[in-house]
Amino acid sequence: MTVVVVGAGLSGLAAARRLVAGGHEVVVLEARDRVGGRTEGGRLTDGTPVELGGQWIGPTQDRMYELVAELGLEWFRTHNDDGLLLVDLRGRQSRMAPHKGAVPRLGPFALADLGQGLLRFSRLAARTDLERPWESPDAEVLDGQTFASWIHRNLRTPSGRAYFRIACEAVFAADASDVSLLHALFYSHSGTDLETLLSVDRGAQQDRIVGGSVRIAETMAAALGDRVRLGQPVRRISNDDSGVRLETRGGEVVTGSHVVVTLPPTLAGRLEYAPALPSWRDQLTQRLPAGSVVKCYAAYDEPFWRATGLNGQAASDRGPVKVTFDNSPPSGRPGVLMGFVEAGDARHFARLSPDDRRRAVLECFARYFGPRALAPVEYLERDWMAEEFTRGCYGAHFTPGVWTSYGHALREPVGRIHWAGAETAAVWNGYMEGAVRSGEAVADRIGAEVAG
Ligand SMILES: Cc1cc2nc3c(=O)[nH]c(=O)nc-3n(C[C@H](O)[C@H](O)[C@H](O)COP(=O)(O)OP(=O)(O)OC[C@H]3O[C@@H](n4cnc5c(N)ncnc54)[C@H](O)[C@@H]3O)c2cc1C
């Protein structure tokens, strides 16, 4: 019998590939007219590939490096060592070495405050249970507060607090007041620690894929051939002892023995199910909002910031773009600056006119790298909140109380319906690594069920 996979993002394609390798019949139903989901390829007018969604891989994301190699793809280092990183905090700019563990140049009080805050956070994070976060020590107390309230209680200086708030926006695309403290701790531990999530060198932003990360999904899909059906938004899933039956918006019907749903949780909750899902599963998906992010690009003839001793990375407490990177291709030509507009800034930004958005982004780039940034050859952006088949990024975050009340329903199958996707991963939750691992783990579970 066929296993039906809903979604041709990394998780769905990794599941399908693993199932096919195990000798199973597979059909992948994808709503969009492309594969890759939250990884998406774009091009500048000169043909330079740009990544509109997820792009980086880094150490300990072992499955991604293996997969990239298995698919015959290559990676390269993020431009990091071409200069210093710019820190723009509380109206003052300073430069710092872009190495893992480096902290901004702050006054002695702020530095001590930040140091003890990071230590406390990492000690708490290391105690979280990755498989069952709700069983971590003091889980209910940690889950009963927001990350913002912890920052307020544990950091004393405005700069220390600003550092943690920017870190939260950069990692979750959500304000610290929206995120459960337990989730912030779990998520950091899931990707090693907060420092790793924020770093380029030896961190989550270390490497990129030659040709763009979407090549991973495209190469997997090419090998799956016509098992992957594009333009097929699933609308309804019926499930009983004899198997599953899926209906698409266009009226196609596909049946199988099992289904793997790889949609972000909110979108999974918007499908129709027969019989209706158990209350705990439905209530879980009512409580997992996606983050808010717009990814913005400006291309220049050359990476002019390098000549001024900067590496194109900025971190600021003033938006709308608070975080930037040098996203130039390996050759370094053209020069490409990429900036994220995140959390509350993104929600405001999305309502501006295209001209006002472009102006606001370029003004941030100019504040960090000088007036040449105001005159790019080209500007592009992708608003992930507006994407019908994603509705926000980088991924879902758990609000207070959700892990402890509903965490058990995240991965628990409902009859023949299995759940995968980056949000269900124990390791590197929310990242491409987590997406691939979750898809392969579910494929193995179904394979064992069918065999047993
Ligand atoms: C701007 C941005 C930057 C990011 N940066 C990074 C990064 O640098 N490194 C990193 O590791 N991760 C990053 N991420 C996160 C990473 O991209 C995701 O974790 C990962 O791609 C999720 O894969 P997935 O398969 O779980 O989900 P998705 O990619 O969301 O796949 C779900 C699929 O289901 C499809 N779908 C939706 N509804 C239906 C329906 N009704 N019927 C059929 N199909 C449907 C969607 O079109 C999609 O293809 C980033 C994400 C974004 C958006």
Side-chain angles (χ1 to χ4, degrees):
M1 279 277 269
T2 305
V3 179
V4 189
V5 177
V6 185
L10 289 173
S11 171
L13 293 169
R17 188 170 181 264
R18 182 64 73 94
L19 285 160
V20 169
H24 300 276
E25 299 284 325
V26 176
V27 171
V28 182
L29 297 174
E30 166 56 48
R32 288 176 163 105
D33 59 3
R34 63 169 182 85
V35 298
R38 281 175 269 177
T39 59
E40 181 179 1
R43 286 199 183 268
L44 298 176
T45 41
D46 69 359
T48 303
V50 289
E51 291 148 309
L52 300 171
Q55 64 175 53
W56 288 290
I57 57 174
T60 78
Q61 297 185 354
D62 301 337
R63 191 60 199 112
M64 284 307 288
Y65 285 97
E66 276 168 19
L67 180 62
V68 168
E70 280 166 28
L71 298 173
L73 302 172
E74 291 176 74
W75 62 88
F76 67 100
R77 282 283 170 124
T78 301
H79 300 292
N80 189 44
D81 299 326
D82 305 301
L84 298 174
L85 185 158
L86 187 90
V87 179
D88 177 70
L89 272 187
R90 310 188 67 228
R92 286 185 41 207
Q93 294 194 341
S94 60
R95 295 177 175 209
M96 61 184 253
H99 301 306
K100 186 171 183 181
V103 286
R105 212 172 293 154
L106 300 169
F109 292 120
L111 206 56
D113 184 41
L114 180 57
Q116 66 77 31
L118 285 168
L119 190 66
R120 259 187 216 183
F121 185 83
S122 64
R123 281 192 184 143
L124 271 181
R127 299 186 328 164
T128 50
D129 182 327
L130 295 182
E131 290 294 335
R132 304 166 76 81
W134 57 94
E135 290 184 0
S136 305
D138 303 322
E140 294 211 353
V141 176
L142 301 172
D143 206 26
Q145 56 191 298
T146 65
F147 192 15
S149 46
W150 183 89
I151 294 171
H152 192 75
R153 270 202 318 280
N154 287 275
L155 279 296
R156 298 267 173 252
T157 61
S159 298
R161 288 176 179 168
Y163 178 94
F164 268 91
R165 278 197 299 266
I166 298 169
C168 178
E169 290 173 24
V171 169
F172 297 103
D175 296 304
S177 52
D178 285 339
V179 178
S180 147
L181 173 60
L182 179 63
H183 184 63
L185 295 166
F186 154 78
Y187 198 87
S188 304
H189 187 33
S190 166
T192 312
D193 53 29
L194 185 61
E195 215 177 323
T196 302
L197 298 191
L198 295 171
S199 299
V200 173
D201 182 29
R202 290 182 289 135
Q205 282 72 235
Q206 181 175 288
D207 295 311
R208 292 173 55 202
I209 310 302
V210 176
S213 58
V214 76
R215 299 283 301 120
I216 303 170
E218 287 173 348
T219 312
M220 286 198 283
L224 290 165
D226 58 13
R227 296 181 185 92
V228 180
R229 301 193 197 160
L230 301 180
Q232 299 286 353
V234 170
R235 188 180 69 76
R236 186 170 205 269
I237 301 180
S238 318
N239 150 56
D240 63 24
D241 290 345
S242 63
V244 295
R245 180 177 189 276
L246 285 83
E247 286 168 52
T248 69
R249 285 191 200 167
E252 297 275 328
V253 172
V254 178
T255 57
S257 64
H258 297 81
V259 59
V260 183
V261 177
T262 71
L263 314 189
T266 303
L267 295 191
R270 291 180 188 174
L271 303 183
E272 207 182 301
Y273 295 88
L277 292 179
S279 59
W280 53 90
R281 170 70 203 185
D282 187 72
Q283 294 223 329
L284 169 78
T285 59
Q286 292 178 37
R287 287 166 168 78
L288 291 181
S292 309
V293 66
V294 184
K295 191 172 185 182
C296 308
Y297 278 96
Y300 305 88
D301 292 334
E302 57 177 3
F304 62 86
W305 47 92
R306 295 184 194 170
T308 63
L310 292 170
N311 71 357
Q313 290 169 41
S316 175
D317 58 357
R318 190 146 62 100
V321 176
K322 291 180 177 156
V323 178
T324 70
F325 286 89
D326 178 338
N327 242 17
S328 308
S331 66
R333 296 283 184 284
V336 180
L337 276 180
M338 184 272 283
F340 290 117
V341 181
E342 292 159 329
D345 291 319
R347 294 189 283 273
H348 173 71
F349 184 82
R351 298 174 72 102
L352 300 177
S353 70
D355 283 349
D356 287 346
R357 288 202 300 267
R358 176 189 158 111
R359 189 173 316 113
V361 170
L362 297 180
E363 280 171 1
C364 288
F365 287 173
R367 177 153 52 87
Y368 306 138
F369 305 113
R372 270 187 81 178
L374 292 171
V377 187
E378 203 168 340
Y379 171 82
L380 348 156
E381 59 181 37
R382 167 67 78 241
D383 173 357
W384 283 93
M385 299 168 285
E387 289 286 302
E388 181 183 5
F389 297 113
T390 302
R391 301 260 58 149
C393 276
Y394 308 102
H397 53 270
F398 282 61
T399 52
V402 180
W403 267 123
T404 41
S405 302
Y406 298 97
H408 60 89
L410 186 66
R411 291 180 217 129
E412 197 176 287
V414 175
R416 289 164 175 267
I417 308 175
H418 290 252
W419 315 104
E423 282 80 4
T424 66
V427 174
W428 283 101
N429 184 292
Y431 286 76
M432 299 191 285
E433 171 84 9
V436 168
R437 284 183 185 231
S438 77
E440 292 180 342
V442 166
D444 290 344
R445 222 171 298 143
I446 293 174
E449 216 173 280
V450 171

